[in-house]
Amino acid sequence: MRAEISFGKSLIGILFVGLAAAGCTTTSKPAATAAKTKQVQPAKVTFNYTKKDRDCLQRAMYFESQHSDEDGYLAVGTVIMNRLTSGAYPPSICGVVAQEKQFAPGVMTREVKPQAETELATAADAILLKGARHPAVKDAMFFHTDGLKFPYNNMHYVAVAGGNAFYEKRDANGMLQTPPPLPAYEVAMNYVPGESMLPPQFEALIPSAVPVPLPAPDPMATASTAQMQITTPVTLPETAPVTSPAPSIEPEPGMPIAIPIPRPAYDSVMLRGSMQADGG
């Protein structure tokens, strides 16, 4: 009897040890973690700029903001960067600033007061090195002196800074009527030494002897352009005196070209009420 009990205990012990061993070997392994996917950062659109371009940026900010302050400087600088990255204006900062009848007269030649250099340099470095933009200016590429009012319904005002009212051109449905500028986080500014290479001005692209139909005067007092679609070659007339074969320019179909428009006459301008600096 004792032998049977002893044998039973031994058998139970063997079974228990076996089950314990089986439990250890059948423990489920944690599921393999999913392989981490490497996020590819989108490539930025790179624009080159030179010391001359930086000077052009500072000049436009200074003369267009009525020598105001960094807020006014940054607002004008944002318009210049919006134009540069929109694809509808010259592909360099100096090209944008020097475009005829767009910015203040003498912007490229007048004297900048030495006492403004520090704030101008700070604003220029913020734009070129840090990608800063005036948050209220948004996609605006146009502005005029604050306090003026024009009889156009596509002027969507967004901000007032440095004595200027900034606006976007939008249709009745609220859609931009201009190519949208790139957001700052998609833009890289690359400094290169040397003089700025100004793009050919439009007088060289479209001979003055060829009549070019222009739209109605644009409602800007300082910065504004209109766009035209050129779908047929533009050539010099046969009667034009030339010393070499007349050049023929044939842009790609649908290529937007910004045509400078003269400023409106101030005698037809009415005063408009002042607006908040963070205008809608």
Side-chain angles (χ1 to χ4, degrees), residues 114-280:
Q115 54 266 33
E117 290 289 350
T118 300
E119 285 189 341
L120 281 172
T122 300
D125 288 342
I127 291 172
L128 298 173
L129 303 180
K130 302 177 182 179
R133 300 289 188 273
H134 194 291
V137 172
K138 302 178 182 178
D139 292 336
M141 287 186 245
F142 313 96
F143 60 90
H144 60 69
T145 303
D146 185 30
L148 302 180
K149 183 179 180 181
F150 298 91
Y152 300 89
N153 57 9
N154 66 339
M155 301 170 70
H156 178 72
Y157 290 95
V158 294
V160 169
N164 293 310
F166 296 81
Y167 65 95
E168 303 166 340
K169 286 186 177 180
R170 293 184 177 273
D171 60 22
N173 296 321
M175 301 298 294
L176 278 174
Q177 295 177 316
T178 55
L182 294 175
Y185 59 80
E186 291 185 9
V187 175
M189 298 304 296
N190 177 51
Y191 176 77
V192 292
E195 291 296 319
S196 174
M197 295 181 293
L198 288 175
Q201 294 301 303
F202 290 105
E203 289 76 12
L205 292 176
I206 305 176
S208 57
V210 179
V212 178
L214 295 177
D218 197 86
M220 81 297 176
T222 50
S224 178
T225 60
Q227 296 178 24
M228 293 183 60
Q229 299 290 338
I230 298 181
T231 57
T232 58
V234 178
T235 58
L236 286 172
E238 295 181 359
T239 58
V242 293
T243 57
S244 59
S248 176
I249 301 173
E250 188 172 1
E252 298 179 1
M255 182 180 69
I257 293 182
I259 305 296
I261 303 300
R263 303 184 183 197
Y266 278 89
D267 55 4
S268 63
V269 175
M270 300 179 296
L271 290 177
R272 68 182 184 84
S274 60
M275 56 185 295
Q276 298 298 324
D278 58 349

Side-chain angles (χ1 to χ4, degrees), residues 23-36:
C24 292
T25 57
T26 58
T27 302
S28 59
K29 296 181 179 180
T33 56
K36 294 183 178 179

Side-chain angles (χ1 to χ4, degrees), residues 52 55 71-72 77 121 152 191 193 221:
K52 180 64 176 177
D55 179 66
D71 187 62
Y152 300 89
Y191 176 77

Side-chain angles (χ1 to χ4, degrees), residues 45-51 53 81 93 128-129 187-193:
V45 179
T46 301
F47 293 84
N48 292 334
Y49 75 97
T50 65
K51 181 179 179 181
D53 288 308
M81 297 306 294
I93 293 174
L128 298 173
L129 303 180
V187 175
M189 298 304 296
N190 177 51
Y191 176 77
V192 292

